[in-house]
């Protein structure tokens, strides 16, 4: 009979039952393709080669620009970090932006940037204040001006933030409260999770470019190695939230990164331009005592090695042992920053944070693991590398930053008198 959906006859494609079955099959098919690799290697998928070439081409340009910034020095690297932060903020601000609501809130988008640049002034003021003082010490007028600005730096930043807070309250509109408060919370989340973490890059730069370059390079190496190992050997899915990641890629990248850390530390540690800390904001060439961490130690191989073995020993920098810790963190812990970003994008149903880098997505897509690594590198350096006791340089820095020129002269005369009395005694 017409309309009788018996067992032997297929259902009408327009019927509710057929549409329901079709939706169920579609819903079930998508996760199966995304969660597993189907036991096939990506290398067998010819469509992936074009994507790989585009990705490689973009990577070459990024590495070239990065190398140029390293050559130009500390200030250029800092400027590069600031530009990256601005692009990341732009991508993330746009993620939750709704054009319809923004039309009814003229100027509201500028509030996000007000908070962003206020945070930038506060964080970089704290990081670079002492180095700015050291730069202008020879000019008495400029020194006094900079000292006054640093003294009231926190007050200025606080009132800038309060001005933004009042600006937000005064722009609240009826029926737009939920959207506006959501944007307010989203802005502060960006400042805390993205800007504050990435600012540790600058702190690492002035401790010596080595402590910025090595951690950043290890993340790049880990990312490239994971892609290559996964491309040619990846079969076993690693984590559901990021279905393209495989155990083969993860393990292969970890081994590659740790070995690279040990080798790169030996190469980078031999250049004073990379190892010397920068105490001011000048751009001149650096020359310093690299310290015991960067002085090679010779290790002799045991005598039981055969006579035909070409090497009798090996020269190792002590900092290479520390680099193993950085490599271990970059290969095992830092990738979770990428997993966090993957889950974040899935929550908002977007493939990438942006499209500014062909084959890679946005700037934020490349910096997710870097931010996690920047904090660890800074904490590790401060905890295990920087001497915990007071040094002459540290005391002088505190004197220059906290005492006026007249007070420094008085301190000098008193210290001179104390030393003379001790010598006479």
């Amino acid at each position: 009979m017409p309309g009788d959906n018996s067992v032997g006859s297929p259902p009408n494609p327009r019927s509710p039952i057929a549409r329901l079955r079709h939706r169920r099959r579609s819903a079930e098919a998508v996760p199966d393709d995304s969660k597993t690799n189907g036991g096939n290697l990506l290398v067998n998928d010819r469509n992936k080669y074009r994507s790989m070439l585009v990705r490689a081409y973009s990577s070459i340009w990024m590495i070239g620009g990065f190398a140029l910034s390293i050559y130009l020095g500390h200030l250029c690297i800092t400027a590069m970090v600031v530009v990256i932060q601005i692009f990341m903020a732009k991508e993330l601000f746009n993620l939750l932006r709704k054009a319809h609501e923004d039309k009814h809130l003229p100027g509201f988008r500028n509030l996000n940037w007000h908070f962003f640049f206020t945070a930038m002034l506060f964080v970089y003021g704290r990081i670079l204040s002492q180095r700015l003082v050291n730069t202008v010490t020879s000019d008495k007028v400029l020194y006094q001006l900079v000292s006054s600005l640093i003294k009231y730096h926190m007050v200025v930043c606080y009132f800038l933030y309060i001005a933004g807070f009042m600006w937000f309250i005064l722009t609240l509109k009826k029926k737009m409260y939920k959207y506006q408060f959501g944007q307010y919370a989203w802005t502060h989340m960006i400042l805390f999770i993205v800007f504050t973490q990435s600012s540790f890059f600058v702190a690492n730069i002035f401790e010596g470019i080595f402590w910025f370059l090595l951690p950043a390079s290890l993340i790049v190496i880990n990312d490239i190695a994971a892609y290559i190992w996964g491309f040619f050997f990846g079969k076993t899915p690693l984590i559901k939230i990021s279905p393209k990641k495989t155990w083969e890629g993860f393990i292969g990248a970890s081994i590659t990164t740790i070995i690279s850390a040990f080798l790169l530390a030996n190469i980078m540690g031999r250049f004073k331009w990379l190892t010397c800390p920068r105490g001011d904001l000048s751009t001149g060439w650096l020359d310093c005592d690299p310290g015991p961490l960067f002085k090679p130690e010779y290790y002799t191989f045991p005598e039981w090695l055969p006579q035909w073995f070409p090497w009798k020993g090996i020269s190792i920098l002590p900092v290479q042992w520390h680099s193993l810790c950085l490599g271990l963190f970059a290969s095992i812990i830092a990738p979770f920053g990428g997993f966090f970003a993957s889950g974040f994008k899935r929550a908002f149903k977007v493939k990438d944070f942006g499209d500014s880098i062909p084959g890679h997505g946005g700037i934020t897509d490349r910096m997710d693991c870097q931010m996690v690594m920047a904090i660890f590198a800074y904490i590790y350096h401060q905890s295990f590398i920087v001497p915990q006791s007071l040094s002459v340089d540290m005391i002088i820095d505190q004197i220059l930053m906290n005492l006026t020129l007249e007070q420094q002269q008085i301190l000098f005369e008193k210290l001179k008198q104390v030393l003379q009395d001790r010598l006479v005694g």
Side-chain angles (χ1 to χ4, degrees):
M1 295 178 60
D4 183 12
N5 293 330
S6 60
V7 177
S9 60
N12 186 349
R14 296 185 179 181
S15 67
I17 295 176
R19 289 197 298 268
L20 179 60
R21 289 177 180 174
H22 177 72
R23 283 198 297 267
R24 286 178 177 173
R25 286 195 299 268
S26 301
E28 291 172 358
V30 173
D32 289 341
D33 291 338
S34 61
K35 289 182 180 178
T36 66
N37 294 325
N40 296 324
L41 298 175
L42 287 176
V43 70
N44 296 327
D45 186 357
R46 298 300 176 182
N47 294 328
K48 293 292 182 180
Y49 278 103
R50 184 176 181 275
S51 174
M52 185 179 184
L53 290 175
V54 173
R55 190 182 180 99
Y57 184 75
S58 300
S59 298
I60 291 173
W61 276 101
M62 286 191 293
I63 293 173
F66 184 75
L68 179 62
S69 299
I70 297 298
Y71 175 77
L72 294 177
H74 302 70
L75 289 181
C76 187
I77 303 173
T78 303
M80 178 188 68
V81 172
V82 171
V83 171
I84 289 173
Q85 289 176 327
I86 292 174
F87 272 94
M88 290 173 64
K90 181 182 178 182
E91 292 174 356
L92 293 172
F93 285 152
N94 291 334
L95 193 62
L96 288 187
R97 183 178 182 181
K98 295 180 180 179
H100 177 72
E101 282 78 358
D102 285 349
K103 288 181 180 179
H104 296 85
L105 298 169
F108 183 73
R109 187 58 49 186
N110 296 329
L111 186 60
N112 294 338
W113 292 107
H114 172 82
F115 284 121
F116 177 82
F117 287 111
T118 299
M120 182 178 289
L121 177 63
F122 176 77
V123 172
Y124 287 142
R126 302 288 290 180
I127 294 175
L128 302 177
S129 58
Q130 180 56 56
R131 292 172 176 85
L132 182 59
V133 170
N134 295 342
T135 306
V136 300
T137 302
S138 58
D139 191 318
K140 182 177 180 181
V141 176
L142 196 57
Y143 173 81
Q144 291 178 342
L145 175 62
V146 170
S147 299
S148 300
L149 291 175
I150 292 175
K151 182 178 181 180
Y152 300 108
H153 165 256
M154 191 175 293
V155 175
V156 172
C157 293
Y158 174 75
F159 278 105
L160 283 173
Y161 178 83
I162 290 297
F165 176 75
M166 295 172 64
W167 180 3
F168 169 74
I169 298 298
L170 294 174
T171 56
L172 289 174
K173 283 190 176 183
K174 193 175 181 180
K175 297 183 180 180
M176 304 290 289
Y177 296 151
K178 184 176 181 180
Y179 176 74
Q180 289 182 279
F181 276 99
Q183 289 291 311
Y184 184 81
W186 178 240
T187 300
H188 284 72
M189 178 182 173
I190 293 172
L191 296 180
F192 178 73
I193 294 184
V194 177
F195 177 76
T196 304
Q197 291 188 80
S198 57
S199 297
F200 282 91
F201 279 126
V202 178
N204 294 336
I205 290 168
F206 286 91
E207 294 292 345
I209 297 178
F210 177 93
W211 299 104
F212 162 79
L213 181 58
L214 180 62
S217 300
L218 294 180
I219 294 297
V220 174
I221 291 171
N222 184 261
D223 187 47
I224 295 174
Y227 182 79
I228 294 175
W229 281 87
F231 186 88
F232 288 101
F233 306 104
K235 288 184 178 181
T236 311
L238 174 63
I239 187 170
K240 291 182 178 180
I241 204 170
S242 187
K244 292 184 179 180
K245 300 293 191 297
T246 62
W247 274 106
E248 291 82 3
F250 183 78
I251 295 173
S254 298
I255 297 172
T256 304
T257 304
I258 293 173
I259 295 174
S260 300
F262 192 78
L263 298 177
L264 282 177
N266 186 282
I267 297 172
M268 296 179 184
R270 298 179 184 275
F271 296 93
K272 291 184 178 181
W273 177 246
L274 300 179
T275 58
C276 290
R278 172 72 75 179
D280 53 28
L281 300 180
S282 63
T283 57
W285 193 256
L286 288 172
D287 187 18
C288 68
D289 180 7
L293 278 179
F294 299 101
K295 293 179 179 178
E297 297 178 353
Y298 191 78
Y299 293 86
T300 305
F301 290 144
E303 296 180 356
W304 50 261
L305 285 176
Q307 294 295 326
W308 52 263
F309 193 74
W311 297 285
K312 302 302 180 183
I314 186 172
S315 177
I316 295 178
L317 302 179
V319 76
Q320 288 181 256
W321 306 117
H322 293 283
S323 71
L324 293 177
C325 297
L326 296 176
L328 195 64
F329 187 92
S331 58
I332 296 179
I333 308 299
F336 280 84
F339 301 153
F340 176 84
S342 297
F344 201 82
K345 288 183 285 189
R346 287 181 174 272
F348 290 97
K349 299 180 180 179
V350 295
K351 184 178 183 295
D352 296 311
F353 287 106
D355 56 359
S356 53
I357 308 176
H360 293 266
I363 297 291
T364 310
D365 294 286
R366 293 298 91 212
M367 296 299 296
D368 44 17
C369 300
Q370 292 282 7
M371 292 183 295
V372 179
M373 190 67 193
I375 296 180
F376 175 75
Y378 178 79
I379 293 175
Y380 187 90
H381 181 267
Q382 295 297 316
S383 301
F384 301 105
I385 305 299
V386 175
Q388 300 301 314
S389 59
L390 290 176
S391 65
V392 175
D393 291 337
M394 293 172 63
I395 295 173
I396 291 177
D397 286 343
Q398 291 296 320
I399 292 172
L400 293 175
M401 186 170 63
N402 297 306
L403 299 181
T404 64
L405 192 59
E406 291 75 13
Q407 291 173 328
Q408 293 173 25
Q409 292 174 341
I410 295 173
L411 176 64
F412 174 76
E413 294 297 333
K414 288 186 176 181
L415 183 60
K416 179 181 177 181
Q417 185 63 41
V418 169
L419 293 175
Q420 287 178 345
D421 293 342
R422 287 188 177 183
L423 290 174
V424 172

